[in-house]
Amino acid sequence: MESLIGLLVGFPLLGAAVLLCGGRKLDRSGHWLGVLLSGASFVTGVVLFAGMLGKPTDQRALHQHLFTWVPVESFQANVAFQLDQLAMTFVLLITGVGTLIHIYSVGYMEHDVGRRRFFGYLNLFLAAMLLLVLADNYLLLYVGWEGVGLASYLLIGFWQFKPSAAVAAKKAFLVNRVGDAGLAIAIFLMFTTFGSFTFAPVLDNATDAGEGKLTAIGLMLLLAACGKSAQVPLQSWLGDAMEGPTPVSALIHAATMVTAGVYLITRSGAIFNGAPDAQTVVVVVGAVTLLYGAIVGCAKDDIKKALAGSTMSQIGYMVLAAGLGPIGYAFAIMHLVTHGFFKAGLFLGAGSVMHGMNDEVDMRRYGGLRKYMPVTFVTFGLGYLAIIGFPGLSGFFSKDQIIEAAFAKGGTQGWILGAVTLVGAAITAYYMTRVMLMTFFGEERWKGQENEPHPHESPKIMTVPMIVLAFGSVFAGGLFKAGESFVHWLEPVTQFEHGHSPVSAAAVTGATVVALLLGVGGAWLQYGRRPVPSVAPRGSLLTRAARRDLLQDDINHAVLVKPGEYLTRGLVYADNKVVDGAVNGTAAAFGGLSGRTRRVQNGFVRSYAVSMFGGAAVLVAATLLMRAV
Amino acid sequence: MSVANAGFPLLTVTAALPAAGAVVTAAVPAARRGAAKWLALLFSLATLVFALVVLARFDPGGSRYQLTESHSWIADFGVRYELGVDGIGAVLIALTALLLPFIVGAAWHDADELEPARPNRRWRPTQGFFALMLATEAMVIVSFAATDVFLFYVFFEAMLIPMYFLIGGFGDRAHAAGEEEGAKQRSYAAVKFLLYNLAGGLIMLAAVIGLFVVTSDQLGEGTFSLQQIAQARANGDLTMGTGIERLLFLGFFFAFAVKAPLWPLHTWLPNAMGEATAPVAVLITAVVDKVGTFAMLRFCLGLFPEASKWATPVVLVLALVSILYGALLAVGQRDIKRLIAYASISHFGFIILGVFAMTSQGQSGATLYMVFHGVSTAALMLVAGFLISRRGSRLIADYGGVQKVAPVLAGTFLVGGLATLSLPGLAPFVSEFLVLVGTFSRYPVAGIVATAGIVLGALYILLMYQRTMTGPVEKPEVRAMPDLRVREVAVAAPLVALLLFLGIFPKPVADIVNPSVEHTMSDVHKKDPKPDHQVAETGWFDYKPAEHAGGDHK
């Protein structure tokens, strides 16, 4: 059984290698190879899952040691895998949703000349993401961590002939690198504290290290999580990442990669449990991002950017839950999985709409599309109901649990967090209803435009994955909630404690439903009852700021980019004049070196060189003579 | 240990092969210059075979210096022809021999433009070009193998001669301001290279003489033999006064810091790498400069351990400045080759940081860094050279959208770039991480400051890639650009494969290097810092948890 773990990574890695190194011969059929290998990885995952279910809960973890990677004295890094319940959950999500999106992409990228390369990158992403969740130590996790960053870079910039795509790709990689530096420092700290960075020894002995060390490690891990999961303050790259093809946005920038930060925090639970201050920071980051993403999502007219804001906000929920400790880990992962279904479904739906609308992304040029794209409308609609937390659907169960856990944090903090999550739920309902109304209802604002599009339903190869994901959006939450099956499944890894909420569960659910109704009602008043203008109105100060992502880029530009440019320009000047000049000047003081360099330019080179080598030759001859004597 | 290896003089032959190759190549008649190229390639490949034999014959578990040879040379001054390699020298010889065939292959047509219209017996640039490269290789190999300080010094300095002509005589023709200005810049760069290195060398010469005086004073007869000096120090026959040791250390270190190069002695490198052709630039930064960092490990730490420790704080600060300064300067460059040169300055900062952190991880990391940086810079710079040769310009602004017309070129350039920014999975990541973790475990602040370098590394590489390779194809010269040719793929592909292989499986190299680093660590009487809470074992497979964590609440 253990030996199968490597195959999970191996299949897609093979696909990436063949598709990227293989020549044009593979252009016609290469994408099916990509689908096949992704599917093979999923089947392997299912087999391992079945095997795991057959064992008692505390013996489910599997290990596979492949080879010693970097051995230098006490620094021993191995390429070794650990498949426990937490990793298994991710494996199924990554390969399952990944395979569906591979299939969808066959249709979506049909007319793209770079389709083979696209599937190569998608396979590469799967391999790196699986490495990330299967690694049994932080250094190997780091390889997957940067590997998904590379795949993300390549895929955001897939249409790199567009300068905006190339810039967005670079931005994503750079912002992520800042987070990666945090992960690197966390590993240094683990190594100096424990002499190891393998999960088992570090996490089992975490309490020995003392709160100070754990807080430092926790904060560095959080920095890493902020980069990968687009949490404040490293959130600025995700909106631009929508430059990538839509299946990429669905897989990488919604369902899987951006949730890696939540995985990291949950995996490192033992460290955070011993560092309450770090946990508080985690919770604050989650709460701030939850509101930030929701507000941005309300103001965007680009359907993908509205969904990107939503992704940020939903991951904010997960990070918040993970910051609550053992009362929240399982719910964070549960929301992560249900979000994987409905957000991937929503993105694929958005892609299907764009497919039928000449790649238009501006929702102000949509409207009334439900008649033209019935399947897309229904699947998108189910995803919509799931994300706003309509009672009975996936998002309802998973989000409700997080809100309850937030209240259970206790004290003033608990009340604040509970209120934030409720406000977030209301805003979620608002912006998602807005997307729904602007796209599928109302006037057909695209009529009479130049190049009037002819909206049509997408082919089966695209709609079938959407239908499957819609099923997940509807039923997954209920399935996980029934008998607390999901919590029991994860408990051996993440531990679980029942939170004691000052508010009864029924009251929380009631409040959630009220929040939902408020949000939906607000959106209907603005976008349902009245016609949507096809040119955006000026809007309030907040709307205008939210359209600019609450000025994130303006701030980064003013604080980092501009000063950085002045600094490098200044240094380039200084290097030529000051440093060089100082060294030459010092030398001149000793022996007229500077004068000679200057004279050299006027044609003295040869004579100077000849005299120099004459001297050298004399020296060599002299030594040789002495040897002879 | 004075017992010379009575067997086959493997190291001498490994060094003599390229030297013989240089002579043979230079002697090829003017009309047959094609043969000169093939001869150069053949000799570089033969050298590689011998270097691999050296690697194979080297026993990591054996004595410190192996394959030793020892002959008297200048008896009056105790100068001996003494060769021997430790693990560090062995892998660096292998690196040198490995890169030369690629450098020769990439430089195949670089001297063609200089050929006179009609064969001329006295002016044979092709022959000269390749002969000088082989001559440099021979001298570098001797430097890596010399265990006699004076022998090392002679070759360390002699290397400047062929390098001077390679930079000044065969420089890059792709100059924006025309050939005349180009020639001026070339000779300026060559002379600057020479003067900087010569100045360093002269100061070192004084220190070498000083070392002789000290040894002859205390041991009765002067010696330059590393092993004799080490032995004499170990059993107390030789004691250096603190002041003397520090002065001698500074003399040696100054020369190596120029060569490495360390901020603020770095300004010759961007000129030299910018004006030289891409293959020669690789020869400078990937091969010749490594002698500087290698010599810090072998001679500074080995001969002057106390002074090395005394100088450590200053050296660490200079290394950190190099890392950040080189990276920031790289961000600001408009010239592809100068950008790579400043990136190298940043990377040399990492190497020196690792050497002087004085931990196993730092020094093993630094040694691996020397090797892996050589391979990654070769990949990036040689492909950059192919790009420049297509357009006749080094300016980043003259490109854009190359990915669209030459995807293989862009792809290999990207892999070279990703290696330079230390992406995990490619070789340089392993060494950079080791240097950082090794530095952090003794000097946490320095480790964190250096970590900023990995963010800046991503910035300059991706900025260059974005500006040259992505975007719409707007310039007609770019639109007409052919993709990599067979010869060029033959140069780039193996380097890319090697970067991947060493990134995934660096253990064979690490196993050779580690024991030698332990010797160096004991030279300076340093031990790795102990972790605060050492856990029993490090891997899951031999790790036994104290209690079963399964489901119980802590």
Side-chain angles (χ1 to χ4, degrees), chain A residues 190-206:
Chain A
M190 287 177 204
F191 180 69
T192 54
T193 309
F194 303 103
S196 172
F197 38 81
T198 306
F199 290 154
V202 169
L203 298 174
D204 287 357
N205 297 288

Side-chain angles (χ1 to χ4, degrees), chain A residues 24 58 63-65 67-76 78-82 113 117 121 136 139 142-143 146-147 150 153-154 160-163 166-167 169-170 173-174 177-178 180-185 187-189 191-196 198 200-205 207-210 213 491-493 495-497 564 567-569 571-576 579-580 583-584 593 596-598 600-601 605-606 608-609 612-613 616 619-620 623-624 626-629, chain B residues 71-74 76-77 150 153-154 160-161 164-165 184 187-188 191-192 194-196 198-199 263-268 270-271 325 328-329 331-333 338 342 360-361 364-365 368 403-404 407 414 418 421-425 429-430 432-434 436-437 440-441 447-448 451 454-455 457-459 462-463 465-466 469-472 502-507 510-511 514 518 528 530-541 543 545-547 549-554:
Chain A
R24 300 227 164 83
D58 58 346
H63 292 289
Q64 185 185 16
H65 179 259
F67 56 91
T68 304
W69 180 28
V70 190
V72 178
E73 293 303 304
S74 55
F75 185 97
Q76 294 288 332
N78 295 313
V79 176
F81 298 135
Q82 167 182 312
V113 288
R117 192 162 51 90
Y121 292 163
D136 90 328
L139 195 66
Y142 188 88
V143 178
E146 286 228 316
L150 170 69
Y153 168 79
L154 294 169
Q160 48 176 260
F161 50 85
K162 287 197 295 187
V167 171
K170 183 195 67 192
F173 196 96
L174 277 177
R177 260 272 156 135
V178 177
D180 298 351
L183 183 54
I185 293 171
I187 297 174
F188 305 158
L189 278 165
F191 180 69
T192 54
T193 309
F194 303 103
S196 172
T198 306
V202 169
L203 298 174
D204 287 357
N205 297 288
T207 40
D208 299 348
K213 275 278 164 61
E491 196 182 343
V493 184
Q495 305 175 9
F496 180 70
E497 277 170 28
L567 178 66
T568 50
R569 249 182 260 160
L571 283 179
V572 170
Y573 179 81
D575 194 55
N576 289 336
V579 180
D580 208 12
V583 173
N584 286 347
L593 190 79
R596 293 216 168 144
T597 20
R598 221 167 292 129
V600 144
Q601 291 179 49
V605 194
R606 268 160 228 255
Y608 188 78
M612 182 115 52
F613 294 123
L619 201 79
V620 172
T623 49
L624 285 175
M626 288 180 76
R627 164 104 174 85
V629 175
Chain B
H71 305 281
S72 179
W73 181 18
I74 310 169
D76 295 339
F77 291 120
F150 193 82
Y153 174 76
V154 169
L160 300 178
I161 300 166
Y164 168 82
F165 286 110
K184 236 187 208 171
S187 57
Y188 174 70
V191 173
K192 195 171 173 183
L194 194 66
L195 292 182
Y196 266 74
L198 218 55
W263 188 89
L265 302 170
H266 64 278
T267 57
W268 65 269
N271 287 79
Y325 186 90
L328 284 169
L329 264 287
V331 173
Q333 293 307 309
R338 287 180 68 93
Y342 278 105
S360 310
Q361 289 81 32
S364 283
L368 294 179
Q403 199 273 340
K404 189 113 181 142
L414 182 62
L418 292 173
L421 65 78
S422 294
L423 188 85
F429 167 74
V430 173
E432 192 160 303
F433 202 90
L434 281 172
L436 288 172
V437 86
F440 184 89
S441 62
I448 290 172
T451 306
I454 72 172
V455 178
L459 180 58
L462 295 183
L463 210 55
Y465 186 81
Q466 178 202 323
M469 298 296 171
T470 71
L502 292 173
I504 296 167
F505 198 52
K507 188 170 177 291
D511 285 344
N514 286 337
E518 287 320 299
D528 287 340
K530 282 261 170 287
D532 309 344
H533 306 278
Q534 175 76 56
V535 295
E537 304 289 338
T538 48
W540 64 268
F541 48 97
Y543 170 73
E547 49 178 324
D552 58 352
H553 297 213
K554 286 193 174 172

Side-chain angles (χ1 to χ4, degrees), chain A residues 226-277:
Chain A
C226 284
K228 200 57 78 194
S229 292
Q231 300 291 294
V232 175
L234 297 179
Q235 82 289 1
S236 66
W237 62 274
L238 187 64
D240 295 334
M242 297 299 124
E243 286 286 342
T246 309
V248 171
S249 315
L251 178 60
I252 300 184
H253 304 119
T256 56
M257 184 191 85
V258 285
T259 59
V262 183
Y263 170 79
L264 185 68
I265 296 173
T266 309
R267 174 61 79 194
S268 315
I271 290 169
F272 285 96
N273 294 347
D277 291 345

